[in-house]
């Protein structure tokens, strides 16, 4: 269905004026106004043809009205593209009632049942306007309701010339049936579209609450430990005058806690930026070995404490076309996990080779590995609980999810294979620089 709508250009039409700056609820209202304008254009063209064929009274004047209304509805679409949403909606709710008023006044009267549309247009502003614009909603609702009551109770049937199709009662009934069916179909379409997007808004709210809970959890648990350690050692240093060895030990602990806090915050910020679509990708030609060296320098103390040895097979001639910050974050997360889940005095192998237009980079350790259910969650990009490292290190469970999203943003890929107690192999691909 989506492919058909894309091919017909309808999805593009419905999204006229929808920008990333708009919230989901505001985007829905813009889409609905586009939908109403589009249906209005189609209906006015359709009825212009029908009126000529059926020989409706004053059809020349009615077709002129239709032409003006079509022009105004095109203006509505144009105003949405210029992000003048309020003016667009005000013009729309008044314009859609104009042809019905004239056709029920000077042409069909109450014979074609066109005044039924006023009932539909009375509820349209409830989905087009926000609650803050409630006075517009009330005004348009009362206006269309008054029009309907007038024609229903005080209107008179149209007068049709002999020899025209409309002179026959059966044809008039067909127009009336068409009016009723069209009204109900349009209302159903608006309500279905509105409910669909309400469902999207509810899911988005659940997702946002879920992210908020995750952020609070990280702040409460993963930052509390290292910050508490820093506070303890700083208190120890400032209260007493430690010996040189004790001072060095305390400073090393402070550095380790600061590095851990930095990594947690970096992961958290990257995750939040990506989830809120505020990550900017600046692609440029980069030297992989240099970015890898910087990542290893940051993690040097963490690796040295566990006696982890890195065997690197990366050529200095390997250049990639990527975002430097994103790539550094990916490498740092993968290496940090390799250190965390490797056994003390273990080895991590890093090697790279060009494959087609990509550089394939493999990170392999012989640590604790991962179970199949955890692998599936990682591959599907789902949340998972991060286990403790081999010496009790705690993770956020965000690292690999951040890696996957940042690689996708740069046109790269991520693959992981692992077996419990045998180790893990992570393979990423990044675009090669020309």
């Amino acid at each position: 269905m989506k492919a058909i709508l894309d091919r017909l250009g309808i999805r593009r039409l419905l999204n006229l004026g929808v920008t990333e700056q708009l919230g989901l609820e505001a985007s829905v209202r813009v889409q609905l106004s586009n939908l109403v304008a589009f249906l209005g254009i189609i209906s006015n063209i359709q009825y212009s043809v029908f009126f000529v064929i059926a020989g409706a009274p004053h059809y020349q004047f009615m077709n002129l009205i239709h032409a003006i209304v079509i022009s105004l509805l095109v203006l509505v679409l144009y105003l949405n593209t210029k992000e003048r949403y309020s003016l667009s909606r005000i013009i729309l709710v008044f314009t859609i009632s104009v042809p019905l008023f004239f056709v029920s006044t000077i042409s069909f009267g109450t014979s074609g049942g066109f005044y039924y549309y006023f009932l539909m247009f009375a509820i349209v502003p409830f989905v087009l306007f926000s609650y803050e614009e409630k006075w517009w909603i009330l005004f348009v609702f009362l206006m269309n309701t008054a029009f309907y009551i007038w024609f229903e109770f005080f209107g008179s049937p149209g007068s049709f010339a002999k020899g025209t199709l409309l002179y026959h009662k059966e044809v008039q009934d067909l127009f009336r049936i068409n009016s009723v069916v069209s009204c109900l179909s349009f209302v159903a379409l608006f309500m279905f579209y509105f409910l669909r997007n309400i469902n999207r808004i509810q899911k988005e709210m659940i997702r946002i609450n879920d992210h908020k809970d995750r952020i609070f959890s990280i702040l409460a648990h993963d930052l509390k430990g290292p910050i508490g350690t820093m506070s303890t050692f700083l208190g120890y240093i400032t209260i007493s005058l430690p010996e040189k060895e004790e001072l060095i030990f305390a400073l090393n602990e402070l550095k380790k806690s600061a590095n851990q806090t930095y990594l947690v915050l970096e992961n958290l910020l990257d995750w939040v930026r990506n989830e809120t679509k505020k990550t900017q990708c600046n692609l440029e030609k980069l030297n992989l070995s240099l970015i890898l060296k910087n990542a290893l320098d940051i993690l040097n103390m963490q690796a040295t404490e566990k006696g982890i040895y890195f065997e690197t097979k990366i050529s200095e001639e390997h250049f990639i076309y990527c975002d430097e910050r994103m790539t550094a974050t990916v490498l740092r997360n993968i290496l940090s996990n390799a250190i965390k889940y490797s056994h003390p005095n273990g080895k991590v192998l890093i090697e790279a080779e060009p494959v087609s237009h990509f550089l394939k980079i493999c990170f392999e350790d012989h640590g604790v590995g991962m179970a199949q259910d955890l692998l599936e969650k990682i591959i599907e990009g789902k949340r998972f609980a991060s286990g403790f490292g081999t010496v009790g290190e705690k993770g956020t469970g965000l690292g690999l999810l951040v890696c996957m999203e940042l690689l996708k943003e740069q046109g790269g890929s991520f693959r992981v294979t692992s077996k419990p107690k045998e180790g893990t192999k992570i393979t990423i691909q990044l675009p090669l620089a020309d």
Side-chain angles (χ1 to χ4, degrees), residues 45-257:
I45 293 173
Q46 166 193 299
Y47 281 119
S48 293
V49 174
F50 285 169
F51 289 173
V52 173
I53 295 173
H58 311 292
Y59 70 84
Q60 298 94 336
F61 178 72
M62 285 308 308
N63 285 348
L64 175 62
I65 297 296
H66 287 148
I68 294 172
V69 169
I70 290 170
S71 300
L72 288 172
L73 293 176
V74 171
L75 175 63
V76 166
L77 297 174
Y78 173 76
L79 289 173
N80 279 340
T81 64
K82 295 301 180 181
E83 301 180 24
R84 300 184 64 182
Y85 307 119
S86 295
L87 179 59
S88 169
R89 286 195 291 267
I90 291 170
I91 292 175
L92 178 61
V93 293
F94 284 107
T95 300
I96 55 178
S97 301
V98 170
L100 299 178
F101 181 81
F102 279 99
V103 77
S104 299
T105 302
I106 67 170
S107 188
F108 275 74
T110 59
S111 298
F114 288 99
Y115 62 94
Y116 294 150
Y117 283 96
F118 287 121
L119 290 177
M120 178 184 71
F121 295 148
I123 65 172
V124 165
F126 287 91
V127 296
L128 290 184
F129 291 95
S130 66
Y131 178 75
E132 287 72 20
E133 301 167 299
K134 52 184 173 293
W135 295 113
W136 278 114
I137 297 173
L138 181 61
F139 178 77
V140 176
F141 171 78
L142 293 175
M143 180 188 73
N144 283 284
T145 303
F147 284 158
Y148 172 78
I149 292 173
W150 171 263
F151 288 108
E152 175 68 35
F153 297 102
F154 304 102
S156 57
S159 178
F160 307 107
K162 284 186 177 181
T164 62
L165 288 175
L166 283 172
Y167 184 76
H168 302 285
K169 184 69 167 55
E170 296 80 5
V171 176
Q172 295 176 30
D173 289 341
L174 284 175
F175 270 97
R176 186 180 293 273
I177 292 170
N178 178 71
S179 296
V180 173
V181 172
S182 297
C183 284
L184 292 175
S185 299
F186 289 162
V187 169
L189 180 61
F190 296 152
M191 291 298 101
F192 179 79
Y193 195 81
F194 188 71
L195 287 173
R196 170 183 172 270
N197 286 286
I198 287 295
N199 185 52
R200 285 174 55 199
I201 292 171
Q202 289 175 336
K203 288 181 178 179
E204 181 69 10
M205 290 176 65
I206 292 171
R207 189 180 69 87
I208 290 172
N209 283 330
D210 187 47
H211 293 167
K212 178 197 68 177
D213 293 342
R214 171 61 73 93
I215 291 170
F216 287 155
S217 174
I218 291 168
L219 293 175
H221 298 94
D222 300 301
L223 290 181
K224 184 179 179 181
I227 291 175
T229 301
M230 286 190 283
S231 178
T232 300
F233 280 104
L234 284 171
Y236 170 70
I237 293 171
T238 54
I239 291 172
S240 62
L241 187 64
E243 298 293 332
K244 180 179 179 181
E245 293 77 11
E246 294 175 329
L247 181 62
I248 291 173
F249 174 78
L251 291 175
N252 282 334
E253 288 298 315
L254 284 171
K255 183 178 180 182
K256 182 170 70 173
S257 296

Side-chain angles (χ1 to χ4, degrees), residues 286-297 314-316 318 324 331:
L286 302 170
N287 186 292
L288 176 63
S289 62
L290 184 59
I291 301 175
L292 181 63
K293 181 181 180 300
N294 291 336
L296 290 172
D297 286 344
I314 304 286
S315 170
E316 292 187 359
H318 285 148
E324 184 173 6
L331 297 180

Side-chain angles (χ1 to χ4, degrees), residues 205-345:
M205 290 176 65
I206 292 171
R207 189 180 69 87
I208 290 172
N209 283 330
D210 187 47
H211 293 167
K212 178 197 68 177
D213 293 342
R214 171 61 73 93
I215 291 170
F216 287 155
S217 174
I218 291 168
L219 293 175
H221 298 94
D222 300 301
L223 290 181
K224 184 179 179 181
I227 291 175
T229 301
M230 286 190 283
S231 178
T232 300
F233 280 104
L234 284 171
Y236 170 70
I237 293 171
T238 54
I239 291 172
S240 62
L241 187 64
E243 298 293 332
K244 180 179 179 181
E245 293 77 11
E246 294 175 329
L247 181 62
I248 291 173
F249 174 78
L251 291 175
N252 282 334
E253 288 298 315
L254 284 171
K255 183 178 180 182
K256 182 170 70 173
S257 296
N259 282 341
Q260 186 178 349
T261 303
Y262 171 79
L263 290 174
V264 170
L265 284 174
E266 187 75 10
N267 282 345
L268 184 60
L269 289 173
D270 280 319
W271 182 64
V272 170
R273 286 193 199 106
N274 184 71
E275 291 297 325
T276 55
K277 309 300 179 187
K278 292 184 179 179
T279 305
Q280 291 189 350
C281 185
N282 301 309
L283 302 178
E284 56 183 324
K285 185 177 180 180
L286 302 170
N287 186 292
L288 176 63
S289 62
L290 184 59
I291 301 175
L292 181 63
K293 181 181 180 300
N294 291 336
L296 290 172
D297 286 344
I298 292 174
L299 298 169
N300 179 59
M301 185 175 178
Q302 183 183 342
T304 303
E305 283 191 342
K306 289 186 72 170
I308 303 298
Y309 167 68
F310 289 101
E311 183 179 342
T312 307
K313 298 179 181 178
I314 304 286
S315 170
E316 292 187 359
E317 297 179 358
H318 285 148
F319 286 87
I320 52 177
Y321 188 65
C322 295
D323 179 280
E324 184 173 6
R325 185 189 62 80
M326 289 184 179
T327 305
T329 300
V330 169
L331 297 180
R332 198 165 53 242
N333 273 298
I334 294 174
L335 292 170
S336 177
N337 272 0
I339 295 169
K340 188 184 303 176
Y341 297 110
S342 289
H343 299 291
N345 302 314

